[in-house]
Amino acid sequence: VSTQSTWALNMVREIICLQVGQAGNQVGSRFWESVFAEHKLNKKGREKQETAEGANDGFDPCLHGDKIDVYFKEQNGRGPDHNREQKRKKRSGKWIPRAVMVDLEPGTLDVVTASAVGKAFKPDNFVFGNSGAGNNWAKGHYTEGAEIVEQAIDVVRKEAEGSGHVQGFQIAHSLGGGTGSGLGTLLLLKIRDAYPDRLTKTYSIYPSPKVSDTVVEPYNAILATHQLPEN
């Protein structure tokens, strides 16, 4: 196997995660809790140490560090090199999620910050408005959402520029509310325009008549679903 082929096999392709709206941020928070546990990171994003010698319950660079920088970036440098580059002599051991949290009202993002792994997120990656979408797809897509979408895309762009080889973007959002459906599909449209050669994946929560408490949820879902296949 040539050196170039080996490099390609070991090359990490980063994924940037967006959480939009109340439901999207709730689902995203649970997702990150699982990823933190999988990579043996504590609530602040630091590598866990063994509780006792030989316990094998701490962070192992060869096991838990494998492809960790798909979803994380190490503070002040790169982490395990996986045969890609020279390892740094001193590593911080603190990992920051490649996450962008977006909502049209600040309350939801306060809940994310107070979650189990909320302190590990980068404060600059929180983007929020002050008015909310009022369960209205048009407000999220055309008015209130349009006012902050460029700010959100700037944060996404900074994350992409700080990555080596971005593979794609994943978006968690609800199709029943105004922010997740309206602003979520607007962000998807902007990302496709800015990064047409990258993958996009949405985790979309559809409303159910058994749990829906707002009569306009089906309309929001239809308007948002129309946007999803096109992007």
Short mmCIF file of all heavy atoms in Angstrom, two decimals, residues 129-199:
data_model
loop_
_atom_site.label_atom_id
_atom_site.label_comp_id
_atom_site.label_asym_id
_atom_site.label_seq_id
_atom_site.Cartn_x
_atom_site.Cartn_y
_atom_site.Cartn_z
N GLY A 129 -32.07 34.07 18.79
CA GLY A 129 -32.81 35.31 18.64
C GLY A 129 -33.51 35.65 19.94
O GLY A 129 -33.22 35.07 20.99
N ASN A 130 -34.46 36.55 19.88
CA ASN A 130 -35.16 36.98 21.10
C ASN A 130 -36.68 36.90 21.00
O ASN A 130 -37.37 37.10 21.99
CB ASN A 130 -34.76 38.43 21.45
CG ASN A 130 -33.30 38.55 21.81
OD1 ASN A 130 -32.80 37.84 22.67
ND2 ASN A 130 -32.60 39.46 21.14
N SER A 131 -37.19 36.62 19.80
CA SER A 131 -38.65 36.71 19.61
C SER A 131 -39.34 35.37 19.50
O SER A 131 -40.52 35.24 19.83
CB SER A 131 -38.95 37.54 18.36
OG SER A 131 -38.32 36.96 17.22
N GLY A 132 -38.64 34.34 19.02
CA GLY A 132 -39.28 33.05 18.79
C GLY A 132 -40.04 33.03 17.48
O GLY A 132 -40.27 34.08 16.86
N ALA A 133 -40.44 31.84 17.06
CA ALA A 133 -41.14 31.70 15.78
C ALA A 133 -42.63 31.54 15.94
O ALA A 133 -43.37 31.56 14.95
CB ALA A 133 -40.59 30.49 15.02
N GLY A 134 -43.10 31.40 17.18
CA GLY A 134 -44.54 31.29 17.40
C GLY A 134 -45.20 30.15 16.66
O GLY A 134 -46.33 30.29 16.19
N ASN A 135 -44.50 29.00 16.55
CA ASN A 135 -45.03 27.83 15.84
C ASN A 135 -45.44 28.15 14.40
O ASN A 135 -46.40 27.59 13.88
CB ASN A 135 -46.22 27.23 16.59
CG ASN A 135 -45.82 26.60 17.90
OD1 ASN A 135 -44.87 25.82 17.96
ND2 ASN A 135 -46.50 26.95 18.97
N ASN A 136 -44.70 29.05 13.77
CA ASN A 136 -45.05 29.50 12.43
C ASN A 136 -43.85 29.25 11.50
O ASN A 136 -42.80 29.88 11.65
CB ASN A 136 -45.41 30.99 12.46
CG ASN A 136 -45.97 31.49 11.14
OD1 ASN A 136 -45.46 31.18 10.08
ND2 ASN A 136 -47.03 32.28 11.21
N TRP A 137 -44.04 28.36 10.52
CA TRP A 137 -42.95 28.02 9.59
C TRP A 137 -42.44 29.26 8.85
O TRP A 137 -41.23 29.44 8.67
CB TRP A 137 -43.45 27.00 8.56
CG TRP A 137 -42.42 26.62 7.54
CD1 TRP A 137 -41.46 25.66 7.66
CD2 TRP A 137 -42.24 27.22 6.25
NE1 TRP A 137 -40.69 25.61 6.51
CE2 TRP A 137 -41.14 26.55 5.63
CE3 TRP A 137 -42.90 28.23 5.54
CZ2 TRP A 137 -40.69 26.88 4.35
CZ3 TRP A 137 -42.44 28.56 4.27
CH2 TRP A 137 -41.36 27.89 3.68
N ALA A 138 -43.33 30.13 8.43
CA ALA A 138 -42.93 31.32 7.67
C ALA A 138 -42.06 32.26 8.50
O ALA A 138 -41.10 32.85 7.98
CB ALA A 138 -44.17 32.07 7.18
N LYS A 139 -42.34 32.38 9.81
CA LYS A 139 -41.50 33.22 10.66
C LYS A 139 -40.09 32.64 10.77
O LYS A 139 -39.10 33.37 10.75
CB LYS A 139 -42.11 33.35 12.06
CG LYS A 139 -43.27 34.34 12.14
CD LYS A 139 -43.67 34.56 13.59
CE LYS A 139 -44.73 35.65 13.69
NZ LYS A 139 -45.10 35.92 15.10
N GLY A 140 -40.00 31.34 10.89
CA GLY A 140 -38.69 30.71 10.98
C GLY A 140 -37.92 30.75 9.68
O GLY A 140 -36.69 30.80 9.68
N HIS A 141 -38.63 30.75 8.57
CA HIS A 141 -37.97 30.65 7.27
C HIS A 141 -37.74 32.01 6.61
O HIS A 141 -36.72 32.20 5.93
CB HIS A 141 -38.81 29.78 6.33
CG HIS A 141 -38.06 29.24 5.15
ND1 HIS A 141 -37.27 28.11 5.23
CD2 HIS A 141 -37.96 29.67 3.87
CE1 HIS A 141 -36.72 27.87 4.04
NE2 HIS A 141 -37.13 28.80 3.20
N TYR A 142 -38.66 32.94 6.81
CA TYR A 142 -38.60 34.19 6.06
C TYR A 142 -38.34 35.45 6.89
O TYR A 142 -37.76 36.41 6.39
CB TYR A 142 -39.90 34.40 5.27
CG TYR A 142 -40.07 33.43 4.13
CD1 TYR A 142 -41.11 32.51 4.13
CD2 TYR A 142 -39.20 33.43 3.05
CE1 TYR A 142 -41.29 31.61 3.09
CE2 TYR A 142 -39.36 32.54 2.00
CZ TYR A 142 -40.40 31.63 2.02
OH TYR A 142 -40.55 30.74 0.99
N THR A 143 -38.79 35.50 8.13
CA THR A 143 -38.68 36.76 8.88
C THR A 143 -37.68 36.64 10.04
O THR A 143 -36.49 36.93 9.86
CB THR A 143 -40.06 37.20 9.39
OG1 THR A 143 -40.66 36.14 10.15
CG2 THR A 143 -40.97 37.54 8.23
N GLU A 144 -38.13 36.17 11.21
CA GLU A 144 -37.23 36.09 12.37
C GLU A 144 -36.03 35.18 12.10
O GLU A 144 -34.89 35.50 12.46
CB GLU A 144 -37.99 35.60 13.60
CG GLU A 144 -38.74 36.67 14.35
CD GLU A 144 -40.07 37.01 13.70
OE1 GLU A 144 -40.37 36.47 12.62
OE2 GLU A 144 -40.81 37.84 14.27
N GLY A 145 -36.27 34.06 11.44
CA GLY A 145 -35.17 33.15 11.13
C GLY A 145 -34.16 33.74 10.16
O GLY A 145 -32.95 33.55 10.31
N ALA A 146 -34.66 34.47 9.18
CA ALA A 146 -33.78 35.08 8.18
C ALA A 146 -32.86 36.12 8.80
O ALA A 146 -31.78 36.40 8.27
CB ALA A 146 -34.61 35.71 7.08
N GLU A 147 -33.25 36.68 9.96
CA GLU A 147 -32.44 37.71 10.61
C GLU A 147 -31.18 37.14 11.25
O GLU A 147 -30.18 37.84 11.41
CB GLU A 147 -33.27 38.45 11.66
CG GLU A 147 -34.40 39.30 11.05
CD GLU A 147 -35.24 39.96 12.12
OE1 GLU A 147 -34.92 39.78 13.32
OE2 GLU A 147 -36.21 40.66 11.77
N ILE A 148 -31.22 35.87 11.66
CA ILE A 148 -30.05 35.30 12.34
C ILE A 148 -29.37 34.19 11.53
O ILE A 148 -28.36 33.66 11.96
CB ILE A 148 -30.42 34.74 13.73
CG1 ILE A 148 -31.30 33.48 13.61
CG2 ILE A 148 -31.10 35.80 14.57
CD1 ILE A 148 -31.42 32.72 14.92
N VAL A 149 -29.91 33.86 10.35
CA VAL A 149 -29.36 32.72 9.61
C VAL A 149 -27.91 32.98 9.18
O VAL A 149 -27.08 32.06 9.20
CB VAL A 149 -30.25 32.36 8.40
CG1 VAL A 149 -30.19 33.45 7.33
CG2 VAL A 149 -29.84 31.01 7.82
N GLU A 150 -27.59 34.22 8.79
CA GLU A 150 -26.22 34.52 8.37
C GLU A 150 -25.25 34.40 9.53
O GLU A 150 -24.10 33.98 9.36
CB GLU A 150 -26.13 35.90 7.74
CG GLU A 150 -26.86 36.02 6.40
CD GLU A 150 -26.33 35.02 5.37
OE1 GLU A 150 -25.13 34.68 5.42
OE2 GLU A 150 -27.12 34.56 4.52
N GLN A 151 -25.70 34.77 10.72
CA GLN A 151 -24.87 34.62 11.91
C GLN A 151 -24.59 33.14 12.17
O GLN A 151 -23.46 32.75 12.50
CB GLN A 151 -25.56 35.24 13.12
CG GLN A 151 -24.76 35.16 14.41
CD GLN A 151 -25.53 35.70 15.61
OE1 GLN A 151 -26.62 36.26 15.47
NE2 GLN A 151 -24.98 35.51 16.80
N ALA A 152 -25.62 32.31 11.99
CA ALA A 152 -25.44 30.87 12.18
C ALA A 152 -24.50 30.30 11.13
O ALA A 152 -23.63 29.46 11.44
CB ALA A 152 -26.79 30.17 12.14
N ILE A 153 -24.64 30.73 9.88
CA ILE A 153 -23.78 30.23 8.82
C ILE A 153 -22.33 30.67 9.04
O ILE A 153 -21.39 29.93 8.72
CB ILE A 153 -24.29 30.71 7.44
CG1 ILE A 153 -25.61 30.00 7.09
CG2 ILE A 153 -23.26 30.45 6.34
CD1 ILE A 153 -25.49 28.49 6.97
N ASP A 154 -22.12 31.85 9.60
CA ASP A 154 -20.75 32.30 9.92
C ASP A 154 -20.10 31.36 10.94
O ASP A 154 -18.91 31.05 10.84
CB ASP A 154 -20.78 33.72 10.47
CG ASP A 154 -20.96 34.77 9.38
OD1 ASP A 154 -20.74 34.43 8.20
OD2 ASP A 154 -21.34 35.91 9.70
N VAL A 155 -20.89 30.93 11.92
CA VAL A 155 -20.36 29.98 12.92
C VAL A 155 -20.04 28.65 12.25
O VAL A 155 -18.99 28.04 12.52
CB VAL A 155 -21.37 29.78 14.07
CG1 VAL A 155 -20.87 28.71 15.03
CG2 VAL A 155 -21.60 31.09 14.81
N VAL A 156 -20.93 28.19 11.37
CA VAL A 156 -20.67 26.94 10.64
C VAL A 156 -19.41 27.07 9.80
O VAL A 156 -18.57 26.16 9.75
CB VAL A 156 -21.88 26.60 9.73
CG1 VAL A 156 -21.54 25.43 8.80
CG2 VAL A 156 -23.11 26.27 10.57
N ARG A 157 -19.24 28.22 9.15
CA ARG A 157 -18.07 28.45 8.31
C ARG A 157 -16.78 28.41 9.13
O ARG A 157 -15.77 27.84 8.70
CB ARG A 157 -18.22 29.78 7.58
CG ARG A 157 -17.15 30.03 6.51
CD ARG A 157 -17.38 31.33 5.77
NE ARG A 157 -18.64 31.27 5.01
CZ ARG A 157 -19.72 31.97 5.28
NH1 ARG A 157 -19.73 32.81 6.32
NH2 ARG A 157 -20.80 31.86 4.55
N LYS A 158 -16.81 29.01 10.31
CA LYS A 158 -15.63 28.99 11.17
C LYS A 158 -15.28 27.58 11.60
O LYS A 158 -14.11 27.20 11.67
CB LYS A 158 -15.86 29.88 12.40
CG LYS A 158 -15.87 31.37 12.09
CD LYS A 158 -16.17 32.19 13.34
CE LYS A 158 -16.23 33.68 13.00
NZ LYS A 158 -16.58 34.49 14.21
N GLU A 159 -16.31 26.77 11.90
CA GLU A 159 -16.06 25.38 12.27
C GLU A 159 -15.46 24.62 11.10
O GLU A 159 -14.55 23.81 11.26
CB GLU A 159 -17.37 24.71 12.71
CG GLU A 159 -17.78 25.03 14.13
CD GLU A 159 -16.82 24.48 15.15
OE1 GLU A 159 -16.35 23.34 15.00
OE2 GLU A 159 -16.53 25.20 16.12
N ALA A 160 -15.98 24.88 9.90
CA ALA A 160 -15.46 24.20 8.70
C ALA A 160 -14.02 24.61 8.42
O ALA A 160 -13.18 23.77 8.06
CB ALA A 160 -16.35 24.51 7.50
N GLU A 161 -13.71 25.90 8.60
CA GLU A 161 -12.36 26.37 8.35
C GLU A 161 -11.38 25.83 9.38
O GLU A 161 -10.18 25.67 9.09
CB GLU A 161 -12.33 27.91 8.37
CG GLU A 161 -13.04 28.54 7.17
CD GLU A 161 -13.17 30.04 7.30
OE1 GLU A 161 -12.84 30.58 8.38
OE2 GLU A 161 -13.61 30.69 6.32
N GLY A 162 -11.87 25.52 10.58
CA GLY A 162 -11.02 24.94 11.61
C GLY A 162 -10.88 23.44 11.51
O GLY A 162 -10.23 22.81 12.35
N SER A 163 -11.49 22.85 10.49
CA SER A 163 -11.42 21.40 10.27
C SER A 163 -10.47 21.11 9.11
O SER A 163 -10.21 21.98 8.29
CB SER A 163 -12.81 20.84 9.96
OG SER A 163 -13.72 21.19 10.98
N GLY A 164 -9.98 19.89 9.06
CA GLY A 164 -9.07 19.52 7.99
C GLY A 164 -9.78 19.15 6.70
O GLY A 164 -9.51 19.70 5.64
N HIS A 165 -10.73 18.22 6.78
CA HIS A 165 -11.44 17.72 5.60
C HIS A 165 -12.89 17.44 6.00
O HIS A 165 -13.22 16.32 6.40
CB HIS A 165 -10.78 16.45 5.07
CG HIS A 165 -9.33 16.61 4.77
ND1 HIS A 165 -8.87 17.12 3.58
CD2 HIS A 165 -8.24 16.34 5.51
CE1 HIS A 165 -7.55 17.15 3.59
NE2 HIS A 165 -7.14 16.68 4.76
N VAL A 166 -13.74 18.44 5.92
CA VAL A 166 -15.14 18.28 6.34
C VAL A 166 -15.85 17.29 5.43
O VAL A 166 -15.86 17.45 4.21
CB VAL A 166 -15.88 19.63 6.34
CG1 VAL A 166 -17.34 19.42 6.68
CG2 VAL A 166 -15.24 20.59 7.33
N GLN A 167 -16.42 16.27 6.05
CA GLN A 167 -17.18 15.27 5.29
C GLN A 167 -18.60 15.74 5.02
O GLN A 167 -19.14 15.54 3.94
CB GLN A 167 -17.21 13.96 6.07
CG GLN A 167 -18.04 12.88 5.40
CD GLN A 167 -18.05 11.58 6.21
OE1 GLN A 167 -18.54 10.57 5.74
NE2 GLN A 167 -17.51 11.61 7.41
N GLY A 168 -19.20 16.39 6.03
CA GLY A 168 -20.58 16.83 5.85
C GLY A 168 -21.15 17.44 7.10
O GLY A 168 -20.45 17.76 8.06
N PHE A 169 -22.47 17.59 7.08
CA PHE A 169 -23.20 18.27 8.16
C PHE A 169 -24.40 17.43 8.54
O PHE A 169 -25.05 16.84 7.68
CB PHE A 169 -23.66 19.65 7.69
CG PHE A 169 -22.55 20.52 7.16
CD1 PHE A 169 -22.18 20.43 5.82
CD2 PHE A 169 -21.88 21.41 7.98
CE1 PHE A 169 -21.16 21.22 5.31
CE2 PHE A 169 -20.85 22.20 7.48
CZ PHE A 169 -20.49 22.10 6.14
N GLN A 170 -24.71 17.39 9.82
CA GLN A 170 -25.93 16.73 10.27
C GLN A 170 -26.75 17.73 11.08
O GLN A 170 -26.23 18.52 11.86
CB GLN A 170 -25.64 15.48 11.08
CG GLN A 170 -24.99 15.67 12.43
CD GLN A 170 -24.77 14.35 13.15
OE1 GLN A 170 -24.30 13.38 12.56
NE2 GLN A 170 -25.10 14.31 14.43
N ILE A 171 -28.06 17.72 10.83
CA ILE A 171 -28.97 18.68 11.45
C ILE A 171 -30.07 17.93 12.19
O ILE A 171 -30.74 17.06 11.62
CB ILE A 171 -29.61 19.60 10.39
CG1 ILE A 171 -28.51 20.35 9.60
CG2 ILE A 171 -30.56 20.59 11.04
CD1 ILE A 171 -29.07 21.20 8.47
N ALA A 172 -30.24 18.26 13.47
CA ALA A 172 -31.34 17.71 14.27
C ALA A 172 -32.39 18.81 14.44
O ALA A 172 -32.07 19.92 14.88
CB ALA A 172 -30.83 17.24 15.63
N HIS A 173 -33.63 18.52 14.07
CA HIS A 173 -34.69 19.52 14.17
C HIS A 173 -36.04 18.85 14.14
O HIS A 173 -36.19 17.70 13.76
CB HIS A 173 -34.58 20.54 13.02
CG HIS A 173 -34.84 19.95 11.66
ND1 HIS A 173 -35.56 20.61 10.68
CD2 HIS A 173 -34.50 18.76 11.10
CE1 HIS A 173 -35.63 19.88 9.60
NE2 HIS A 173 -34.99 18.75 9.83
N SER A 174 -37.05 19.62 14.57
CA SER A 174 -38.42 19.15 14.52
C SER A 174 -39.13 19.81 13.34
O SER A 174 -38.83 20.95 12.99
CB SER A 174 -39.14 19.49 15.83
OG SER A 174 -40.54 19.34 15.69
N LEU A 175 -40.07 19.10 12.75
CA LEU A 175 -40.84 19.66 11.63
C LEU A 175 -42.18 20.23 12.08
O LEU A 175 -42.92 20.77 11.26
CB LEU A 175 -41.06 18.59 10.55
CG LEU A 175 -39.80 18.01 9.92
CD1 LEU A 175 -40.17 17.07 8.79
CD2 LEU A 175 -38.87 19.10 9.43
N GLY A 176 -42.48 20.11 13.36
CA GLY A 176 -43.77 20.61 13.85
C GLY A 176 -43.73 22.04 14.32
O GLY A 176 -44.71 22.77 14.18
N GLY A 177 -42.61 22.46 14.89
CA GLY A 177 -42.49 23.82 15.40
C GLY A 177 -42.06 24.80 14.33
O GLY A 177 -41.70 24.42 13.21
N GLY A 178 -42.09 26.08 14.67
CA GLY A 178 -41.73 27.10 13.69
C GLY A 178 -40.23 27.20 13.45
O GLY A 178 -39.78 27.36 12.31
N THR A 179 -39.43 27.09 14.52
CA THR A 179 -37.98 27.24 14.37
C THR A 179 -37.35 26.03 13.69
O THR A 179 -36.60 26.17 12.72
CB THR A 179 -37.32 27.46 15.75
OG1 THR A 179 -37.89 28.60 16.39
CG2 THR A 179 -35.82 27.67 15.59
N GLY A 180 -37.66 24.85 14.18
CA GLY A 180 -37.07 23.64 13.60
C GLY A 180 -37.46 23.45 12.15
O GLY A 180 -36.62 23.07 11.31
N SER A 181 -38.71 23.73 11.81
CA SER A 181 -39.16 23.53 10.43
C SER A 181 -38.73 24.67 9.52
O SER A 181 -38.16 24.45 8.45
CB SER A 181 -40.69 23.40 10.40
OG SER A 181 -41.31 24.60 10.83
N GLY A 182 -38.96 25.91 9.95
CA GLY A 182 -38.66 27.06 9.10
C GLY A 182 -37.18 27.40 9.04
O GLY A 182 -36.57 27.40 7.96
N LEU A 183 -36.57 27.67 10.20
CA LEU A 183 -35.16 28.01 10.23
C LEU A 183 -34.29 26.79 9.91
O LEU A 183 -33.23 26.92 9.29
CB LEU A 183 -34.79 28.59 11.60
CG LEU A 183 -33.33 29.01 11.82
CD1 LEU A 183 -32.87 29.97 10.73
CD2 LEU A 183 -33.15 29.62 13.20
N GLY A 184 -34.75 25.61 10.31
CA GLY A 184 -33.98 24.39 10.02
C GLY A 184 -33.82 24.17 8.52
O GLY A 184 -32.71 23.89 8.05
N THR A 185 -34.90 24.32 7.77
CA THR A 185 -34.80 24.14 6.31
C THR A 185 -34.07 25.30 5.65
O THR A 185 -33.40 25.11 4.63
CB THR A 185 -36.20 23.99 5.68
OG1 THR A 185 -37.05 25.08 6.11
CG2 THR A 185 -36.84 22.68 6.10
N LEU A 186 -34.15 26.50 6.23
CA LEU A 186 -33.40 27.64 5.69
C LEU A 186 -31.90 27.42 5.86
O LEU A 186 -31.10 27.68 4.94
CB LEU A 186 -33.84 28.93 6.38
CG LEU A 186 -33.14 30.22 5.91
CD1 LEU A 186 -33.35 30.46 4.42
CD2 LEU A 186 -33.63 31.42 6.73
N LEU A 187 -31.50 26.92 7.02
CA LEU A 187 -30.09 26.61 7.26
C LEU A 187 -29.60 25.52 6.31
O LEU A 187 -28.49 25.59 5.77
CB LEU A 187 -29.89 26.16 8.71
CG LEU A 187 -29.71 27.26 9.75
CD1 LEU A 187 -29.82 26.68 11.15
CD2 LEU A 187 -28.37 27.95 9.58
N LEU A 188 -30.44 24.52 6.09
CA LEU A 188 -30.09 23.45 5.17
C LEU A 188 -29.87 24.00 3.77
O LEU A 188 -28.90 23.63 3.07
CB LEU A 188 -31.21 22.40 5.16
CG LEU A 188 -31.00 21.17 4.28
CD1 LEU A 188 -29.76 20.38 4.70
CD2 LEU A 188 -32.24 20.27 4.34
N LEU A 189 -30.73 24.92 3.34
CA LEU A 189 -30.59 25.54 2.03
C LEU A 189 -29.29 26.32 1.92
O LEU A 189 -28.56 26.22 0.93
CB LEU A 189 -31.79 26.47 1.78
CG LEU A 189 -31.77 27.31 0.50
CD1 LEU A 189 -31.78 26.41 -0.73
CD2 LEU A 189 -32.95 28.27 0.48
N LYS A 190 -28.96 27.09 2.95
CA LYS A 190 -27.73 27.90 2.95
C LYS A 190 -26.49 27.01 2.95
O LYS A 190 -25.49 27.33 2.29
CB LYS A 190 -27.72 28.81 4.18
CG LYS A 190 -28.82 29.87 4.20
CD LYS A 190 -28.52 30.99 3.23
CE LYS A 190 -29.53 32.12 3.37
NZ LYS A 190 -29.24 33.24 2.43
N ILE A 191 -26.54 25.92 3.69
CA ILE A 191 -25.39 25.01 3.74
C ILE A 191 -25.17 24.34 2.38
O ILE A 191 -24.03 24.19 1.91
CB ILE A 191 -25.59 23.95 4.85
CG1 ILE A 191 -25.44 24.61 6.23
CG2 ILE A 191 -24.60 22.79 4.70
CD1 ILE A 191 -25.81 23.71 7.38
N ARG A 192 -26.25 23.95 1.72
CA ARG A 192 -26.14 23.33 0.40
C ARG A 192 -25.57 24.33 -0.61
O ARG A 192 -24.82 23.94 -1.52
CB ARG A 192 -27.50 22.82 -0.08
CG ARG A 192 -28.04 21.66 0.72
CD ARG A 192 -27.12 20.47 0.72
NE ARG A 192 -26.96 19.90 -0.62
CZ ARG A 192 -25.97 19.10 -0.97
NH1 ARG A 192 -25.02 18.80 -0.11
NH2 ARG A 192 -25.91 18.62 -2.18
N ASP A 193 -25.92 25.60 -0.46
CA ASP A 193 -25.38 26.62 -1.36
C ASP A 193 -23.89 26.84 -1.12
O ASP A 193 -23.11 27.01 -2.06
CB ASP A 193 -26.13 27.95 -1.18
CG ASP A 193 -27.51 27.92 -1.80
OD1 ASP A 193 -27.76 27.02 -2.64
OD2 ASP A 193 -28.34 28.77 -1.44
N ALA A 194 -23.50 26.85 0.16
CA ALA A 194 -22.10 27.13 0.51
C ALA A 194 -21.20 25.91 0.33
O ALA A 194 -20.02 26.06 0.01
CB ALA A 194 -22.02 27.64 1.95
N TYR A 195 -21.75 24.72 0.54
CA TYR A 195 -20.94 23.49 0.47
C TYR A 195 -21.67 22.45 -0.40
O TYR A 195 -22.14 21.43 0.11
CB TYR A 195 -20.69 22.93 1.87
CG TYR A 195 -20.04 23.92 2.80
CD1 TYR A 195 -20.81 24.71 3.66
CD2 TYR A 195 -18.66 24.08 2.83
CE1 TYR A 195 -20.22 25.62 4.52
CE2 TYR A 195 -18.05 24.99 3.69
CZ TYR A 195 -18.84 25.76 4.52
OH TYR A 195 -18.24 26.66 5.36
N PRO A 196 -21.77 22.69 -1.70
CA PRO A 196 -22.55 21.79 -2.56
C PRO A 196 -21.95 20.39 -2.71
O PRO A 196 -22.66 19.46 -3.08
CB PRO A 196 -22.55 22.53 -3.91
CG PRO A 196 -21.34 23.39 -3.88
CD PRO A 196 -21.18 23.82 -2.45
N ASP A 197 -20.66 20.25 -2.41
CA ASP A 197 -20.00 18.96 -2.58
C ASP A 197 -19.88 18.19 -1.27
O ASP A 197 -19.14 17.20 -1.19
CB ASP A 197 -18.62 19.14 -3.20
CG ASP A 197 -17.72 20.06 -2.38
OD1 ASP A 197 -18.27 20.82 -1.54
OD2 ASP A 197 -16.50 20.02 -2.56
N ARG A 198 -20.58 18.63 -0.23
CA ARG A 198 -20.53 17.95 1.06
C ARG A 198 -21.86 17.26 1.35
O ARG A 198 -22.91 17.65 0.87
CB ARG A 198 -20.21 18.94 2.19
CG ARG A 198 -18.84 19.61 2.06
CD ARG A 198 -17.72 18.58 2.24
NE ARG A 198 -16.40 19.21 2.22
CZ ARG A 198 -15.62 19.30 1.15
NH1 ARG A 198 -16.05 18.79 -0.01
NH2 ARG A 198 -14.44 19.87 1.21
N LEU A 199 -21.78 16.21 2.16
CA LEU A 199 -22.99 15.47 2.52
C LEU A 199 -23.80 16.25 3.55
O LEU A 199 -23.24 16.94 4.40
CB LEU A 199 -22.61 14.11 3.11
CG LEU A 199 -21.83 13.15 2.21
CD1 LEU A 199 -21.43 11.91 2.99
CD2 LEU A 199 -22.65 12.76 1.00
#
